[in-house]
Amino acid sequence: MSHIRFLLALMSLTLGLSAAPVLATPAAAAADGTFADTPLAAPAVDSIRIGDLIFIHVTPLPFEKVSQATGSWTNHVGIVVDVVEGEPVVAESTFPRSKMTRFSAFVARSAEGRYAVRRLNAPLDDTMRQGLLEASRKRMGIFYDTGFNLDSSRQFCSRFVHEVLQEAIGVQVGESETFRELLARNPETELGFWRAWYFGFIPWERTTITPASLYHSPTLITVTTAE
């Protein structure tokens, strides 16, 4: 299958999985979904707080291959940056552009409803929470990077969350690595898909960061999971 056909498949499948609407209450959301006029709300009264990372598993083929290549169940991640009308709001880089999504809609896209909530092992203050919201807003509407390139002008989910945390509170979650390093750790990965995805040549020295790297970060603790 050609790279173009893969991209078309990615578009149709991802848009189908993202059918649940972006949070857009009349008084809360700006036209582009960035919540520019919404003040930072208090953390949710339940177990989910601003700053929590939400990990899910989406099923479009490229993301299934990401799971295989990283040896991890999770292949997509977002970060809670606000609470509107009592529901956490997840900022995410997704296809075709980064956006903000209700927590319920975000986890509804996960296969069999599976998700995990992981939290920084140090508490956040109001300034940090506001910083997360502002850093996420700056990245709204950026096109998704299907090349998973850490040096691209575009975004992908794990890079988005990693950079928001780094900018807003100066904490590094996840580790960057080259494709060579990533695939060497998982020698059973089927390379045929990735050769086709990259027009016949895998960019071995390209630097990336994966949802699995964030998930296993020692700076995070697990809050809750849904199997």
Side-chain angles (χ1 to χ4, degrees):
M1 183 182 293
S2 70
H3 188 261
I4 297 300
R5 288 176 64 192
F6 274 131
L7 288 177
L8 291 174
L10 171 63
M11 180 184 297
S12 61
L13 285 169
T14 306
L15 290 178
L17 287 169
S18 303
V22 174
L23 180 58
T25 56
D32 60 357
T34 59
F35 304 91
D37 299 323
T38 307
L40 184 66
V45 295
D46 58 14
S47 63
I48 299 173
R49 300 177 186 172
I50 291 171
D52 286 352
L53 277 60
I54 316 298
F55 295 88
I56 63 175
H57 180 97
V58 294
T59 57
L61 181 60
F63 298 104
E64 294 284 14
K65 294 297 184 180
V66 167
S67 281
Q68 293 174 15
T70 59
S72 175
W73 70 271
T74 184
N75 55 20
H76 188 58
V77 59
I79 182 169
V80 176
V81 297
D82 204 352
V83 178
V84 175
E85 297 181 341
E87 183 168 7
V89 176
V90 180
E92 61 171 325
S93 174
T94 188
F95 191 88
R97 297 171 184 257
S98 49
K99 63 179 183 178
M100 295 192 185
T101 309
R102 288 186 186 272
F103 172 80
S104 57
F106 186 82
V107 299
R109 284 153 47 197
S110 190
E112 300 179 352
R114 184 178 185 182
Y115 68 88
V117 180
R118 303 207 75 209
R119 178 176 300 158
L120 291 168
N121 52 24
L124 303 181
D125 59 26
D126 288 344
T127 299
M128 292 174 175
R129 287 189 284 268
Q130 183 66 43
L132 290 173
L133 182 60
E134 292 174 355
S136 297
R137 284 174 174 165
K138 285 169 55 177
R139 292 167 170 81
M140 288 296 100
I142 296 177
F143 282 108
Y144 192 83
D145 176 20
T146 58
F148 308 110
N149 185 354
L150 202 56
D151 297 319
S152 169
S153 61
R154 297 189 176 193
Q155 287 279 353
F156 53 97
C157 68
S158 41
R159 175 185 176 180
F160 177 93
V161 173
H162 173 82
E163 292 184 350
V164 164
L165 286 165
Q166 183 72 49
E167 177 181 322
I169 59 177
V171 173
Q172 178 172 310
V173 178
E175 298 287 342
S176 61
E177 59 190 334
T178 65
F179 281 33
R180 187 180 304 280
E181 293 167 332
L182 169 62
L183 295 173
R185 283 202 319 278
N186 299 279
E188 297 181 358
T189 301
E190 299 175 5
L191 298 183
F193 171 88
W194 295 111
R195 288 193 183 97
W197 188 252
Y198 290 110
F199 298 95
F201 178 76
I202 297 173
W204 294 105
E205 305 310 318
R206 175 174 296 178
T207 305
T208 193
I209 190 166
T210 67
S213 176
L214 272 65
Y215 183 80
H216 293 292
S217 172
T219 61
L220 301 176
I221 58 174
T222 298
V223 176
T224 186
T225 60
E227 301 291 341

